[in-house]
Amino acid sequence: MTEIQDHTERRLQIQVYQEWARVANAKPFPTMEDMEEVALEGFHEDSVVLQMTEDAMDPIIAFVGSNLRRDCGQGTRIERLPDVPGLTLLSRFTDTYLQCVANRAPVGFEASFVNCLKENVHYRGILLPISSDGQNVDTVWGVTSSKSEPAVDFAAMAEELELVDEVPAAKPCNDNVAAHGEEATATRVQSEEAQRLAQGLAACRDIDGLVGLALVDIADGAVGAQLACAGDFDLAGVAASGAELIRLKREVIAQCGLAERFEEAIVTTRRQFWLLQPLDGVEDLLVLAALDRGRGNLANARRQLGQALMTG
């Protein structure tokens, strides 16, 4: 997601909140009639409206915009919570609407998940309380902005990394390829980018003082492929914390309005260095390298990682 897209999505949330506050004016909450007349039209494709006429635990889903229906299945009838398919963008709202009811205030949220269409969905949403009598929250209006992309196939990436030792150092000649036939070619040929990363990262296993090396999903901090982990090093914990740090730094860049790409983070502890480098050309995937400060050299490790991840 580019900085411009990120800024636009944040602006959408702000616009929705400002419209809600404008319609409410001096009242604690706006009414649904007021919102329908002046506010919903500009956001209807990304909106959901839940009405709690009888029971807050069993709301009527009065409206679902087309963008929120996209991953629910064509023709799916959605009137109550049990009708909402799991692993959909709409389910993210129906799982959290009670926070808005309980807090009696707008609730914003941001996350990523892999939906039922096997897409990696990055989304931001806001839930806004609405009242028919000005006192009791009996309706919740939710609006989201999102971006979907094919999910990173960590299993395939890990398999390619496991095949690194089998990849010949030099390009095989045409005679060898012909001799092995199409079947052998199919089992050995991966994308050029994956092969390049696999070979480069395998070489990084020799970095002095290395205690951990992994590919990490920036969206949720999951370790996709573990290339090295020594002793009792908490690779999963560091990966989760490192991914969160990258997300926060990207937010800071976006909030500053800078059209810049985040390149690297370095965390130092009393005993270790952690290098966190997002991959070029692979959306939301980073390399984590952890070094023992007593045995490793940060400058050399950065140079080796830079060479391993260099494009071209």
Side-chain angles (χ1 to χ4, degrees):
M1 184 179 298
T2 67
E3 286 81 359
I4 293 175
Q5 287 173 322
D6 190 68
H7 181 68
T8 300
E9 290 189 359
R10 290 184 180 281
R11 286 297 306 167
L12 177 64
Q13 283 184 290
I14 294 172
Q15 290 171 11
V16 170
Y17 173 78
Q18 290 176 339
E19 191 72 358
W20 173 87
R22 183 186 67 80
V23 174
N25 198 1
K27 298 181 295 185
F29 311 105
T31 67
M32 195 63 216
E33 290 75 14
D34 292 338
M35 296 300 295
E36 287 178 336
E37 287 181 5
V38 298
L40 288 179
E41 183 176 355
F43 309 104
H44 70 278
E45 292 182 352
D46 301 295
S47 293
V48 58
V49 176
L50 295 92
Q51 294 180 336
M52 291 148 286
T53 55
E54 298 177 1
D55 183 358
M57 301 299 292
D58 185 28
I60 297 171
I61 302 176
F63 176 81
V64 181
S66 58
N67 289 342
L68 284 168
R69 283 185 176 272
R70 188 184 69 84
D71 56 0
C72 291
Q74 186 174 5
T76 300
R77 184 177 180 179
I78 301 175
E79 296 179 350
R80 298 278 184 171
L81 296 187
D83 299 330
V84 179
L87 297 178
T88 60
L89 188 56
L90 180 59
S91 70
R92 300 287 143 156
F93 282 90
T94 55
D95 287 346
T96 57
Y97 79 96
L98 283 174
Q99 294 180 26
C100 182
V101 177
N103 293 338
R104 296 171 57 84
V107 174
F109 51 91
E110 174 183 353
S112 298
F113 74 107
V114 177
N115 69 5
C116 56
L117 302 178
K118 305 302 181 183
E119 297 171 329
N120 198 17
V121 181
H122 310 269
Y123 68 95
R124 290 189 176 97
I126 187 168
L127 292 162
L128 300 148
I130 296 172
S131 173
S132 59
D133 60 10
Q135 296 298 324
N136 299 306
V137 176
D138 51 29
T139 302
V140 172
W141 173 35
V143 182
T144 185
S145 55
S146 64
K147 178 187 176 183
S148 303
E149 60 195 13
V152 176
D153 190 343
F154 285 122
M157 180 69 79
E159 288 179 5
E160 289 172 349
L161 290 166
E162 290 300 321
L163 292 173
V164 166
D165 294 337
E166 301 178 15
V167 177
K171 183 178 180 181
C173 67
N174 291 336
D175 291 342
N176 287 338
V177 172
H180 285 81
E182 293 182 0
E183 182 178 352
T185 301
T187 60
R188 296 292 297 276
V189 175
Q190 281 85 33
S191 69
E192 292 183 3
E193 181 67 7
Q195 288 283 2
R196 181 187 66 77
L197 289 173
Q199 290 175 328
L201 291 173
C204 290
R205 290 170 173 163
D206 297 328
I207 291 176
D208 291 338
L210 187 70
V211 295
L213 182 64
L215 291 173
V216 180
D217 184 347
I218 297 175
D220 60 11
V223 175
Q226 178 177 311
L227 310 178
C229 185
D232 59 354
F233 179 63
D234 183 9
L235 186 63
V238 173
S241 299
E244 182 177 6
L245 176 63
I246 298 298
R247 294 195 299 270
L248 289 173
K249 286 185 173 291
R250 285 179 169 178
E251 282 191 18
V252 170
I253 292 174
Q255 290 171 1
C256 291
L258 301 176
E260 299 286 345
R261 178 184 180 276
F262 179 79
E263 292 187 345
E264 178 186 72
I266 299 174
V267 178
T268 60
T269 70
R270 185 173 60 86
R271 295 186 302 167
Q272 295 174 349
F273 295 118
W274 303 341
L275 275 68
L276 305 162
Q277 294 188 347
L279 289 175
D280 286 332
V282 182
E283 183 72 18
D284 277 337
L285 196 64
L286 68 85
V287 171
L288 160 67
L291 310 174
D292 186 312
R293 291 185 68 165
R295 297 184 295 115
N297 182 289
L298 181 58
N300 287 341
R302 292 181 70 220
R303 176 180 54 80
Q304 286 180 257
L305 275 177
Q307 292 174 344
L309 305 179
M310 188 178 300
T311 58

